[in-house]
Every structure is written in structure tokens, then in C-alpha cells.
Amino acid sequence: MDRTVRTVEDVLQLLDGLFAPQADRWSADAGSWWDGFYADRSKPVPFFVPKPDENLVSYLDRGLITPGRALDLGCGPGRNALHLASLGFEVDAVDLSPAAIAWARERAHETAADVRFVCGDAFSLPDTGLSGPYDLIYDSGCFHHLAPHRRVSYLALLERHLAPGGRFGIVCFADGAMGSDLPDAEVYRQGGLDGGLAYSARSLRVIFRDLTEIELRRMHDEPPDSSCFGEPFLWAGLFGRDD
């Protein structure tokens, strides 16, 4: 008989176990899956391009975010982290995949960018050697790969590491465009995320209601010759912490 659940983290780990191993994209055990995803750098994956998100560039151009300490969650090959560093940010970047971090470090070496790339679990950020507070926490494509219960961990991360007056930026799958539109309960019944969960504008506003919405819109569609990355099937949001 197993009766060991006594903390919130125990409950979250129990819920992690309801998903088939191949459906796991968010726990520390998922690194090997992401390594396989990043193994072929020539794949026509839109966000493999060495370009920053168009919305991030827009926030910077309009002064909605200004240089300070930044954390890039699920940084992948580092395109947004490198852009922030080029503009004077002190950047920490974390990803579960050793392959992604190796690629990001190669790009940083090629551009002489100063970014601290770390392989690890953002939900256990102190274990990676990283710590806040951060003036900017930016997530392009990580949030929609979390199972519903791990939103609790995600919000706790923001609460612990986003500085008062800081900014939180997010890019994620949009409802009716990409990803699964199944209700949260159905996600558990099927035991998988179908490649990622889609969100409506309303659901994002509910989830991040403790932050102040600055902007929430669809990403702009950027042509291949653009200096930025943009796809209209994604939401781009910017929120602020007032306290």
C-alpha cells in the first residue's frame, strides 16, 4: 500500500504519472525526447531560425520592456535569449534538453553573446544555479507543453522569480489554430497533450489574472525574409507585476 502524498508537489508528481511516458514534455525526464526533437537541425521547424519573436522586438521598440535581468524559459536554441543579450540584458536561459542548450551555446559563441545557458528543470530553478528576481521572464513555446496541473508550478515560478514591476512575456498555441482544444478534464482521460494545449484569450487572462495585462494579441505573420519570427497560430502576451 502506497500512502505517501502529503504536499502539493507530491500531488503534482502523482498527476504527472497519469500521462504515458511518451506524452511527457514538461518534467525533468523529458530531456531525452527534446534531444531527439533537436537532433536534426535542418528540419523545417519554424522556430529553429535564428530570429527573435516579432512581439518581443515590438515590446523593446516601444519601450514596454527595458534592459535588466531576464530569464528565458524553455529557451531552445537560444534565439530570443541572444537577442535580449545583444540589447544589454543580463540573460539566464534554461531548457530541459542538453541538445538545445549545446546548440544555443554554439550560437552564443558565434556571436560573442554573453548568456548563461543552463540545462535543467525551471520548476526547480535553484537546483540549476539560477535565481531571481528577474525584470523579465519570457516564454516562447514552453507553457503550452505543460499538463494542466503544472500551471500551479508555473504560477509559483512567476511568483518567486518575477521582480516587482517586472514583465512576463508569453507565446503559446492559440485556440482553433494549433494544439489541442480539449477541456482540461479530457486531457487527463486521454493521457496526452496532442503535441500541446491551445489557449483562448479568456483562458490566458484567467490563468494570469494576478498580473496586469499590457498586451494580448495574435502573433503577426512574418515573411521568410523578415528579421523576426512570427506565426499567426500563436498568442503573444505581455503582463506586468505591480507589487
Side-chain angles (χ1 to χ4, degrees):
M1 181 180 292
D2 186 5
R3 297 283 187 270
T4 58
V5 172
R6 59 180 299 274
T7 69
V8 171
E9 184 57 30
D10 290 338
V11 174
L12 296 176
Q13 290 183 13
L14 181 92
L15 292 171
D16 286 343
L18 297 181
F19 292 85
Q22 62 269 25
D24 180 0
R25 301 287 186 273
W26 63 88
S27 78
D29 295 332
S32 59
W33 187 92
W34 286 109
D35 279 350
F37 180 80
Y38 286 111
D40 181 3
R41 299 181 183 182
S42 66
K43 287 191 300 187
V45 176
F47 56 85
F48 278 10
V49 296
K51 302 177 181 181
D53 289 339
E54 61 82 11
N55 56 294
L56 179 62
V57 173
S58 175
Y59 303 152
L60 291 159
D61 288 347
R62 289 181 285 156
L64 298 179
I65 56 178
T66 55
R69 294 196 71 216
L71 174 66
D72 187 358
L73 294 174
C75 64
R79 56 193 181 83
N80 289 307
L82 295 173
H83 184 69
L84 290 169
S86 75
L87 297 176
F89 284 79
E90 178 188 342
V91 185
D92 291 341
V94 61
D95 199 284
L96 289 170
S97 167
I101 292 297
W103 191 359
R105 286 173 176 163
E106 288 176 27
R107 284 179 168 176
H109 179 73
E110 292 168 358
T111 60
D114 185 13
V115 177
R116 182 159 55 158
F117 287 108
V118 175
C119 186
D121 184 353
F123 294 149
S124 302
L125 201 61
D127 294 341
T128 69
L130 305 180
S131 63
Y134 292 101
D135 303 297
L136 170 67
I137 295 180
Y138 191 73
D139 170 0
S140 183
C142 177
F143 181 72
H144 55 230
H145 289 299
L146 303 180
H149 62 279
R150 281 296 171 180
R151 293 177 204 140
V152 175
S153 305
Y154 194 96
L155 292 172
L157 184 156
L158 295 179
E159 175 64 27
R160 287 193 300 269
H161 298 291
L162 185 61
R167 298 289 184 261
F168 164 62
I170 184 169
V171 171
C172 68
F173 291 159
D175 53 322
M178 189 169 186
S180 172
D181 287 322
L182 287 177
D184 285 347
E186 286 298 320
V187 171
Y188 289 94
R189 292 190 182 100
Q190 78 169 15
L193 275 63
D194 286 340
L197 300 182
Y199 287 86
S200 66
R202 178 182 178 279
S203 62
L204 292 173
R205 289 178 173 124
V206 169
I207 292 166
F208 299 113
R209 64 189 176 194
D210 291 335
L211 300 173
T212 298
E213 180 184 329
I214 298 171
E215 181 173 279
L216 181 60
R217 60 168 173 82
R218 289 291 187 98
M219 245 189 164
H220 297 155
D221 190 8
E222 295 291 321
D225 60 351
S226 171
S227 61
C228 302
F229 166 82
E231 293 284 355
F233 56 78
L234 298 166
W235 287 115
L238 183 66
F239 298 82
R241 181 172 181 174
D242 295 329
D243 57 339

